[in-house]
């Protein structure tokens, strides 16, 4: 609940506009939610029912006056749903633009430059928090998908290829070898001395 609006008048906000917005915001605050900043539009000509932007620790709210100030419409976005925000400065004030994660864009113009810069500073700090929040959430989802286990393959040794065992050569039949050796002798391919020497070797292994 907003008990003291003076802290929201440091950048020349319209006191009546801040008081009116405070009454609306008090009815919208949730448990543990606090207002951090209020920026009020300042149109160069008629500024009877200015639009406003309210920043809380949980969300950003855009208030727009309708029906000549008789109706106050608002849209709010949780900080986790805000993708980015930026300001563009001109001679008569700044335009504050917020882009939601869904792609929807909210814009309010004629925000005094000092107020727009405060909006931007706070929004940037919340965006940094939400980047870390989304990163942690993404990691949790990946862990859940993996069944809660973290797989680390950095220190694993590559599996060494298994060597195929060479097939054993069948033992040669001594009798067949002697027959081949005799055929070599008959065809004068080896001498008698070689034949006798080889024959003795073969017979000794039998």
């Amino acid at each position: 609940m907003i008990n003291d609006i003076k802290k929201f008048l440091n950048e020349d906000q319209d006191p009546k506009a801040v008081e009116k917005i405070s009454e609306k915001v008090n009815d919208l605050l949730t448990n543990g939610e606090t207002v951090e900043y209020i920026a009020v539009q300042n149109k160069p000509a008629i500024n009877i029912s200015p639009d406003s932007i309210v920043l809380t620790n949980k969300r950003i709210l855009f208030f727009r006056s309708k029906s000549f100030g008789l109706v106050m419409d608002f849209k709010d976005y949780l900080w986790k749903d805000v993708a980015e925000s930026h300001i563009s400065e001109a001679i008569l004030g700044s335009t504050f633009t917020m882009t939601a994660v869904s792609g929807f864009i909210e814009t309010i113009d004629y925000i005094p430059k000092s107020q727009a810069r405060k909006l931007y500073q706070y929004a940037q700090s919340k965006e940094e928090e939400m980047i870390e929040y989304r990163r942690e959430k993404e990691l949790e989802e990946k862990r859940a998908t993996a069944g809660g286990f973290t797989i680390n393959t950095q220190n694993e040794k590559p599996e060494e290829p298994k060597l195929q065992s060479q097939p054993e050569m069948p033992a040669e039949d001594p009798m067949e070898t002697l027959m081949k050796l005799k055929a070599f002798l008959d065809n004068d391919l080896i001498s008698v001395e070689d034949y006798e020497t080889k024959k003795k070797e073969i017979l000794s292994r039998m």
Side-chain angles (χ1 to χ4, degrees), residues 37 39-43 51-53 87-90 92-96 108-117 119:
Y37 194 75
V40 180
Q41 187 182 51
N42 186 17
K43 294 180 180 179
D51 297 338
S52 303
I53 301 174
I87 57 174
S88 56
E89 296 186 347
L92 299 177
S94 300
T95 298
F96 181 85
I108 291 183
D109 55 8
Y110 295 114
I111 300 292
K113 294 179 182 179
S114 58
Q115 297 179 39
R117 290 168 185 169
L119 288 174

Side-chain angles (χ1 to χ4, degrees), residues 82-143:
V82 176
E84 62 177 355
S85 60
H86 66 271
I87 57 174
S88 56
E89 296 186 347
I91 297 175
L92 299 177
S94 300
T95 298
F96 181 85
T97 303
M98 181 223 72
T99 303
V101 174
S102 63
F104 196 82
I105 298 175
E106 293 281 359
T107 299
I108 291 183
D109 55 8
Y110 295 114
I111 300 292
K113 294 179 182 179
S114 58
Q115 297 179 39
R117 290 168 185 169
K118 288 286 186 179
L119 288 174
Y120 181 75
Q121 289 173 1
Y122 188 82
Q124 285 298 300
S125 66
K126 297 303 289 187
E127 284 176 29
E128 291 175 3
E129 290 180 19
M130 291 304 106
I131 289 173
E132 182 64 20
Y133 166 81
R134 294 188 192 102
R135 190 184 72 83
E136 290 293 334
K137 187 175 181 181
E138 185 178 354
L139 288 175
E140 289 177 3
E141 290 175 352
K142 288 182 178 179
R143 292 191 191 103

